[in-house]
C-alpha cells in the first residue's frame, strides 16, 4: 500500500501544471507558504501512515508479497481417521519439519507414536518422530491424548520430507494404523533464503552472507561491529534506502538496548510483534540519534521462506540450544555436560554458571569407582578475558597442588605434552558460559591422556574454580557446589542418556556471602606461618582481589593478615609450610618479596628477574634461587566441610578448623628490614603463586606498640636510633645557642 501511494505521489507531481512566468511576487509567496504548510502536513501524515503500516502490516501486506494468512507452510492434507478420533491438518514447514494444526487423538492406544516411512502405505517398516522433541529417558514417550493441539514435528536422524511418503499415528504393539496422510510427490517446500552480506559503510560493520531462516528470523554469521555508535540498533523498514521511518529490532538477547560491539559472532535476531520479512525492504544497522546508516542488506520481493511457528532452532555463539540427546547435571545448578559421538571423536559441551574469572573442568576420574582428582585427565574450559576467546585446555593432574611446571594441576602443553582438545564454539549469556569442544577418543599421548571408553561406564569428575594470573586452574573449594563428591558414572557410548531436568538459564542468581575484613598485625616481632584454607568467597579472594589456589598462609593464626614492620628492626618467622620437595602439595617455603604473586621457584629468565627477594632466598653460583625458610608441615584443616559461606566472622570460622602438624622441626627466618625497603612488600610461597599477602613497611617508631628496647633490635637499628637522637640534640643545642 505504501509503495502504491509513493508511485501515485510521483505521478501526481509529474502531471502538475507549471507556474506562469507572469505570476506576481505576492501570489508566488502566498502559494509558497501554502505549499509549505501542505507539505508539512503531508509529511506528518506520511510518517504516521508509514509507522502504522509497518507495525500493523499483518493484515495489509505490501503489494501482495506475503502468502495469505494464516500461513503454516505448504498444505499437505488432513489426517484420515481410522480409529481413536484422529484429526488434524498437516503442513510442510521446511525440508525437515511438519506442522499439525489442531491435532486430536483420544490417547488410549497402548503404544502409539507419530510414524513415518517410505513404503507405499503405513507399515512396521517406518520409524518414530519423537514428540515432544526434548524428552528424558532412553525411549521416546508414548503419544498422549490431544484436543486440537498445534504440534511441530521435526524428522529425526537428518531425514527430509522428500525421504518419506506418509505420516501416520501408528501403534507398534498391534501394528495398527490409527490415521494417515500421504505426502504429495515432488512437494515444493519452503526453504531458508541466503542474502548478501551487510553493505560496509561505517564502524567496521561487516558479516558473512545473511540468511532468512523463516518469516521472522535472520541468521547473521561472522558479525563485526566496533560498538562505537552512540544510538545504534538493528533497524528494518521500507523504501529504497534505510531511513528514519524504520522500526527497532531486538538484538540476539531480545534487548532493545543500543548495540554492543561484535567480534566475528554468529547471531540470530527476530522481527518484533506481527512484523515479518514480507513487510520490509531492508535490514540495517542504524544510528537513531544521528540518522546514519552503518550498513544494510536488501530483502528480495520473491521470498518463499518457512513460516515462523517457533520451529527455528540454530546453534550460535549467543543462542544456546540443547543439541545433544545426552545430558548430565554433574554439579547441581552449576554444571551440565552434554555429549555425542562423532566417529573417532567425542564432542562435549559444558554449561556452567561461572564468572569470567572462573573455569569449569570435566574429565575422567583418576580412579574408577570414586571421584579422584589426582592422576585424572580433564579439560579446563573458560573465557579468556585477555584474548577475548573461549578456551578449552587439556590437563593432567599428577598431584593436588598448583602447577609448578613439572607436577601439579598442569596443562599438558606446560609439561611437554600436547593439547588434544579443539574448541568448536563458545557463548556467555545470562551468567552461563557454554563451551563446546572435541577430542579423539584415543589420543597418542599415553602418559597424560586417558582413552575414553564407549562400551562401559566410567567414573567422571567435574569442578568449578578460580583462574590465576596465568589463566590456569587454581584449586576449587571443597564444597558440593564446586566439585562432585559422589561417584558419577557415564557411558559415553549411550544414546538418550538425558538426565538434565531443567536449564541452567532458569537458575536464579543469588548474591554471594559478605567478605571478612582484612586482619592486621602491628607492633609484633615474632610470627608463626603455617598453611590453611582460604575461606571461600569471604576470605583470600575477597581480601586480595585475585583468585586463590585453595590454600593460603596463616600468620599468628590469622588468614593472610597485613603485617606492619619497621625499617631497621629485626623480625623472627617460624615457618611451618612443609620441607619435602617430593610432595609439592605440602611444600611451601616462605620468603619475602616485592611480587604480589610470589612463586619465584617456578619463574625463569626475565620473569624471575622481575621480582626481588628480600628474605628466605639464596642464590647459587649460577644465579639460581634456592629457598632457605622451610620447616615441617602444619595446616589448619576443616573438621567436616568448608563452612565459610554460612559463617559471618573469621573468628567463628576458625572454630570449625583443627590445627595439625607433621613430624619434624619448624623452619626459622630472621629478617632485618633494610632501610631502603619499599613501602610495600609481600610474604609468599616460593613454589606456588598467591598464597600470601602484604607487608607494610614503615619508618622506625611509626608502628603502634613498637618496643625499641627489645632484645630483638638489630645493631644496625641501635646505631640508627643513637644517630637520630644525637642529631636531634645537636639541632636543639644550635637553636638554644
Amino acid at each position: 500500500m505504501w509503495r502504491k501511494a509513493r508511485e501515485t505521489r510521483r505521478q501526481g507531481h509529474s502531471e502538475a501544471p507549471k507556474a506562469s512566468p507572469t505570476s506576481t511576487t505576492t501570489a508566488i509567496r502566498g502559494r509558497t507558504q501554502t505549499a509549505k504548510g501542505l507539505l508539512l502536513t503531508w509529511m506528518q501524515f506520511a510518517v504516521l501512515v508509514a509507522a502504522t503500516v509497518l507495525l500493523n502490516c499483518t493484515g495489509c501486506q505490501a503489494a501482495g508479497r506475503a502468502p495469505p494468512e494464516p500461513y503454516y507452510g505448504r498444505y499437505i492434507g488432513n489426517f484420515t481417521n481410522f480409529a481413536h478420533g484422529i484429526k488434524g491438518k498437516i503442513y510442510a514447514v521446511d525440508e525437515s519439519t511438519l506442522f499439525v494444526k489442531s491435532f486430536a487423538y483420544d490417547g488410549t492406544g497402548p503404544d502409539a507414536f507419530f510414524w513415518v516411512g517410505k513404503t507405499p502405505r503405513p507399515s512396521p517398516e517406518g520409524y518414530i518422530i519423537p514428540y515432544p522433541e526434548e524428552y528424558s529417558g532412553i525411549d521416546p514417550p508414548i503419544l498422549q491424548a490431544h484436543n486440537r493441539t498445534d504440534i511441530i514435528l521435526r524428522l529425526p536422524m537428518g531425514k527430509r520430507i522428500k525421504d518419506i511418503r506418509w505420516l501416520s499415528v501408528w501403534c507398534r504393539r498391534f501394528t495398527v494404523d490409527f490415521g494417515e496422510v500421504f505426502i504429495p510427490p515432488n512437494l515444493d517446500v519452503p526453504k531458508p533464503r541466503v542474502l548478501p552480506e551487510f553493505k560496509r559503510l561505517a564502524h567496521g560493520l561487516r558479516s558473512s552472507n545473511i540468511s532468512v531462516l523463516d518469516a521472522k528470523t535472520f541468521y547473521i554469521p561472522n558479525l563485526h561491529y566496533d560498538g562505537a555508535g552512540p544510538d545504534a540498533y538493528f533497524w528494518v523498514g521500507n523504501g529504497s534506502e534505510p531511513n528514519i521511518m524504520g522500526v527497532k529490532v531486538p538484538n540476539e538477547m531480545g534487548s532493545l538496548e543500543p548495540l554492543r560491539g561484535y567480534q566475528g559472532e554468529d547471531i540470530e535476531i527476530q522481527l518484533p510483534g506481527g512484523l515479518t520479512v514480507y513487510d520490509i525492504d531492508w535490514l540495517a544497522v542504524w544510528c537513531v540519534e544521528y540518522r546514519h546508516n552503518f550498513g544494510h542488506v536488501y530483502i528480495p520481493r520473491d521470498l518463499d521462506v518457512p513460516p515462523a511457528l517457533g520451529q527455528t532452532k540454530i546453534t550460535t555463539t549467543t543462542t544456546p540450544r540443547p543439541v545433544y540427546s545426552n545430558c548430565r547435571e554433574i554439579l547441581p545448578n552449576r554444571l551440565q555436560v552434554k555429549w555425542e559421538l562423532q566417529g573417532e571423536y567425542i564432542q562435549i559441551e559444558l554449561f556452567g554458571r561461572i564468572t569470567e574469572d572462573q573455569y569449569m573442568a570435566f574429565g575422567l576420574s583418576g580412579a574408577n569407582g570414586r571421584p579422584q582428582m589426582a592422576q585424572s585427565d580433564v579439560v579446563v574450559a573458560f573465557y579468556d578475558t585477555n584474548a577475548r576467546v573461549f578456551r578449552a585446555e587439556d590437563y593432567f593432574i599428577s598431584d593436588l597442588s598448583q602447577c609448578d611446571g613439572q607436577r601439579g594441576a598442569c596443562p599438558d602443553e606446560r609439561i611437554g605434552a600436547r593439547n588434544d582438545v579443539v574448541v568448536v564454539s563458545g557463548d556467555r549469556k545470562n551468567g552461563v558460559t557454554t563451551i563446546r569442544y572435541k577430542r579423539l577418543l584415543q589420543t597418542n599421548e599415553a602418559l597424560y591422556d586417558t582413552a575414553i571408553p564407549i562400551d562401559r561406564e566410567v567414573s567422571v569428575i567435574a569442578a568449578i574454580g578460580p583462574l590465576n594470573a596465568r589463566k590456569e586452574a587454581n584449586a576449587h573449594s571443597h564444597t558440593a557446589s564446586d566439585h562432585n563428591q559422589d561417584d558419577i558414572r557415564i557411558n559415553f557410548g549411550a544414546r538418550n542418556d538425558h538426565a538434565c531436568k531443567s536449564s541452567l538459564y532458569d537458575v536464579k542468581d543469588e548474591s554471594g556471602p559478605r567478605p571478612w575484613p582484612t586482619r592486621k598485625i602491628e607492633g609484633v616481632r615474632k610470627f608463626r606461618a603455617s598453611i590453611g584454607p582460604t575461606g571461600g568467597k569471604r576470605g583470600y579472594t575477597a581480601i586480595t582481589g585475585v583468585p586463590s589456589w585453595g590454600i593460603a598462609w596463616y600468620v599468628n593464626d590469622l588468614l593472610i593478615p597485613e603485617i606492619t614492620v619497621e625499617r631497621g628492626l629485626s623480625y623472627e618467622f617460624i615457618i611451618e609450610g612443609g620441607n619435602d620437595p617430593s610432595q609439592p602439595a605440602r611444600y611451601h617455603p616462605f620468603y619475602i618479596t616485592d611480587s604480589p604473586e610470589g612463586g619465584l621457584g617456578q619463574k625463569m629468565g626475565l620473569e624471575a628477574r622481575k621480582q626481588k627477594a628480600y628474605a628466605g632466598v639464596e642464590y647459587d653460583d649460577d644465579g639460581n634461587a634456592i629457598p632457605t625458610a622451610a620447616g615441617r608441615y602444619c595446616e589448619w584443616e576443616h573438621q567436616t566441610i568448608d563452612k565459610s559461606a554460612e559463617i559471618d566472622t573469621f573468628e567463628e570460622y576458625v572454630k570449625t578448623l583443627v590445627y595439625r602438624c607433621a613430624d619434624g622441626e619448624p623452619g626459622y627466618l630472621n629478617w632485618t628490614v633494610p632501610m631502603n625497603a619499599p613501602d610495600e612488600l609481600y610474604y609468599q610461597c616460593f613454589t606456588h603463586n598467591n598464597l600470601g599477602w602484604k607487608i607494610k613497611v614503615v619508618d622506625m617508631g611509626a608502628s603502634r606498640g613498637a618496643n625499641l628496647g627489645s632484645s630483638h633490635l638489630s645493631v644496625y637499628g641501635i646505631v640508627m636510633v643513637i644517630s637520630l637522637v644525637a642529631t636531634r640534640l645537636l639541632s636543639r643545642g644550635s637553636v638554644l645557642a
Side-chain angles (χ1 to χ4, degrees):
M1 185 175 72
W2 191 0
R3 189 170 278 104
K4 289 181 179 178
R6 187 168 61 227
E7 295 300 325
T8 302
R9 292 200 303 273
R10 289 176 179 171
Q11 294 175 4
H13 289 316
S14 64
E15 295 172 1
K18 296 181 180 180
S20 170
T22 59
S23 299
T24 63
T25 303
T26 303
I28 291 174
R29 287 177 178 174
R31 284 198 298 273
T32 301
Q33 295 298 325
T34 302
K36 287 182 178 179
L38 289 172
L39 181 59
L40 182 60
T41 303
W42 170 248
M43 290 178 64
Q44 293 171 339
F45 173 74
V47 170
L48 178 62
V49 170
T52 303
V53 168
L54 197 55
L55 291 173
N56 299 281
C57 50
T58 302
C60 50
Q61 305 299 337
R65 291 172 58 179
E69 295 287 349
Y71 178 50
Y72 304 118
R74 293 288 188 275
Y75 176 66
I76 293 175
N78 288 10
F79 267 126
T80 300
N81 174 46
F82 298 131
H84 297 286
I86 301 297
K87 294 181 182 178
K89 294 183 177 181
I90 295 85
Y91 298 82
V93 176
D94 56 34
E95 291 183 307
S96 61
T97 308
L98 297 168
F99 177 69
V100 185
K101 178 67 177 174
S102 301
F103 176 66
Y105 164 56
D106 65 13
T108 60
D111 194 29
F113 301 90
F114 287 113
W115 191 258
V116 293
K118 58 189 308 181
T119 54
R121 297 196 62 84
S123 72
E125 297 179 27
Y127 51 89
I128 297 173
I129 302 182
Y131 181 82
E133 183 181 6
E134 298 297 332
Y135 61 90
S136 59
I138 298 176
D139 296 319
I142 296 171
L143 192 58
Q144 303 298 307
H146 291 273
N147 183 16
R148 301 182 63 82
T149 305
D150 292 342
I151 289 177
I152 293 175
L153 298 175
R154 198 181 312 275
L155 298 181
M157 299 176 289
K159 297 291 186 180
R160 292 179 290 181
I161 292 176
K162 70 177 185 178
D163 299 323
I164 63 175
R165 298 180 66 175
W166 43 262
L167 168 68
S168 167
V169 178
W170 179 268
C171 180
R172 288 190 306 182
R173 183 179 302 177
F174 296 105
T175 62
V176 176
D177 182 10
F178 295 163
E180 65 186 19
V181 65
F182 290 91
I183 312 297
N186 302 318
L187 179 68
D188 183 22
V189 300
K191 299 179 181 64
R193 180 70 172 268
V194 179
L195 309 180
E197 64 181 50
F198 271 127
K199 190 172 183 180
R200 307 180 183 188
L201 298 179
H203 288 285
L205 180 68
R206 68 181 190 275
S207 69
S208 298
N209 288 357
I210 298 170
S211 294
V212 182
L213 299 180
D214 62 35
K216 294 182 70 68
T217 308
F218 289 92
Y219 174 59
I220 308 174
N222 194 30
L223 177 62
H224 290 261
Y225 163 58
D226 65 11
D231 196 27
Y233 305 88
F234 293 117
W235 190 255
V236 295
N238 292 116
S240 59
E241 297 286 343
N243 54 67
I244 61 171
M245 293 187 294
V247 171
K248 292 178 183 177
V249 178
N251 64 17
E252 74 282 359
M253 308 285 283
S255 170
L256 285 174
E257 293 294 316
L259 293 181
R260 62 178 177 87
Y262 295 90
Q263 300 293 324
E265 296 180 41
D266 302 340
I267 70 166
E268 173 190 352
I269 61 174
Q270 291 192 328
L271 299 175
L275 202 62
T276 73
V277 292
Y278 298 106
D279 306 322
I280 60 177
D281 291 327
W282 39 259
L283 165 68
V285 174
W286 174 269
C287 182
V288 174
E289 181 178 351
Y290 290 97
R291 303 184 179 184
H292 187 51
N293 175 25
F294 297 165
H296 61 275
V297 63
Y298 289 111
I299 313 300
R301 299 183 59 81
D302 60 345
L303 288 175
D304 182 19
V305 296
L309 304 177
Q311 82 285 354
T312 301
K313 295 181 180 180
I314 64 170
T315 302
T316 70
T317 57
T318 52
T319 306
R321 166 183 176 249
V323 294
Y324 308 127
S325 59
N326 301 308
C327 179
R328 290 286 194 92
E329 186 159 295
I330 309 297
L331 305 179
N333 296 325
R334 296 292 304 278
L335 181 67
Q336 291 179 348
V337 56
K338 301 182 180 183
W339 74 92
E340 69 174 5
L341 293 178
Q342 296 182 344
E344 297 179 349
Y345 286 85
I346 185 168
Q347 184 161 280
I348 291 175
E349 188 165 17
L350 300 181
F351 290 70
R353 290 196 66 84
I354 60 175
T355 60
E356 287 189 344
D357 60 356
Q358 289 182 310
Y359 66 84
M360 48 187 170
F362 174 74
L364 303 185
S365 173
N368 209 28
R370 65 180 187 273
Q372 177 177 302
M373 291 288 177
Q375 304 302 307
S376 63
D377 177 18
V378 302
V379 171
V380 173
F382 58 94
Y383 178 67
D384 188 332
T385 54
N386 295 335
R388 299 179 63 84
V389 296
F390 293 93
R391 290 172 55 184
E393 303 289 339
D394 201 354
Y395 268 63
F396 179 72
I397 303 178
S398 59
D399 293 289
L400 296 182
S401 64
Q402 191 180 113
C403 181
D404 60 8
Q406 295 179 333
R407 299 182 62 84
C410 295
D412 283 11
E413 288 185 330
R414 196 172 171 201
I415 51 178
R418 184 180 63 243
N419 181 21
D420 292 293
V421 178
V422 178
V423 176
V424 177
S425 64
D427 175 35
R428 179 159 176 79
K429 176 184 177 182
N430 297 339
V432 177
T433 297
T434 64
I435 297 178
R436 188 186 308 173
Y437 63 87
K438 66 179 183 179
R439 60 154 278 184
L440 286 166
L441 293 169
Q442 172 72 64
T443 71
N444 59 2
E445 291 281 355
L447 184 59
Y448 300 116
D449 286 341
T450 303
I452 300 176
I454 59 174
D455 59 347
R456 64 184 186 277
E457 289 187 333
V458 62
S459 297
V460 298
I461 55 172
I464 287 174
L467 292 162
N468 61 24
R470 295 178 63 104
K471 296 298 181 184
E472 292 180 358
N474 266 15
H476 53 79
S477 299
H478 294 280
T479 63
S481 64
D482 291 304
H483 74 113
N484 61 303
Q485 297 177 324
D486 299 325
D487 181 31
I488 297 176
R489 299 189 179 194
I490 290 178
N491 183 348
F492 288 100
R495 301 188 63 178
N496 298 319
D497 181 358
H498 200 293
C500 298
K501 297 180 180 179
S502 60
S503 170
L504 293 185
Y505 293 96
D506 299 329
V507 178
K508 293 183 179 179
D509 189 18
E510 299 178 356
S511 58
R514 185 176 60 184
W516 297 320
T518 303
R519 266 50 188 179
K520 297 184 178 182
I521 298 178
E522 297 184 40
V524 175
R525 306 283 291 283
K526 190 171 184 177
F527 306 96
R528 185 184 68 179
S530 52
I531 298 298
T534 58
K537 296 181 179 179
R538 296 185 187 272
Y540 187 96
T541 298
I543 295 170
T544 65
V546 298
S548 71
W549 164 243
I551 56 174
W553 283 117
Y554 277 56
V555 178
N556 291 1
D557 302 337
L558 299 176
L559 171 62
I560 57 165
E562 182 179 294
I563 299 172
T564 297
V565 299
E566 299 182 18
R567 295 180 177 92
L569 298 188
S570 292
Y571 296 86
E572 181 181 4
F573 293 85
I574 301 171
I575 312 301
E576 297 173 330
N579 54 9
D580 185 356
S582 66
Q583 299 186 48
R586 292 190 164 205
Y587 180 56
H588 309 290
F590 183 96
Y591 80 116
I592 295 172
T593 174
D594 59 0
S595 168
E597 182 179 71
L600 178 61
Q602 59 173 283
K603 307 293 192 297
M604 300 182 67
L606 180 61
E607 191 177 17
R609 291 193 293 272
K610 287 182 179 179
Q611 63 171 280
K612 180 179 179 180
Y614 282 79
V617 173
E618 294 179 350
Y619 292 87
D620 62 18
D621 294 339
D622 297 326
N624 299 314
I626 301 173
T628 61
R632 65 179 182 177
Y633 187 78
C634 295
E635 181 178 10
W636 289 94
E637 299 176 349
H638 298 293
Q639 295 183 34
T640 54
I641 61 172
D642 187 351
K643 296 185 177 181
S644 59
E646 56 194 77
I647 297 179
D648 291 332
T649 67
F650 174 75
E651 288 74 18
E652 290 298 315
Y653 176 68
V654 171
K655 295 178 183 178
T656 70
L657 308 178
V658 59
Y659 190 70
R660 293 192 175 97
C661 287
D663 294 336
E665 297 295 326
Y668 292 91
L669 173 65
N670 291 294
W671 178 45
T672 300
V673 184
M675 297 302 295
N676 62 348
D679 293 340
E680 189 170 273
L681 293 173
Y682 299 85
Y683 55 93
Q684 294 288 7
C685 168
F686 181 82
T687 55
H688 301 103
N689 295 332
N690 298 316
L691 263 65
W693 192 226
K694 292 180 180 178
I695 297 176
K696 184 180 179 183
V697 182
V698 298
D699 289 333
M700 189 179 297
S703 176
R704 291 181 300 168
N707 180 10
L708 297 183
S710 170
S711 61
H712 291 284
L713 187 63
S714 68
V715 175
Y716 184 65
I718 294 174
V719 172
M720 291 302 300
V721 172
I722 295 174
S723 176
L724 180 63
V725 172
T727 301
R728 288 181 177 176
L729 289 175
L730 289 173
S731 174
R732 182 178 298 177
S734 63
V735 171
L736 292 175

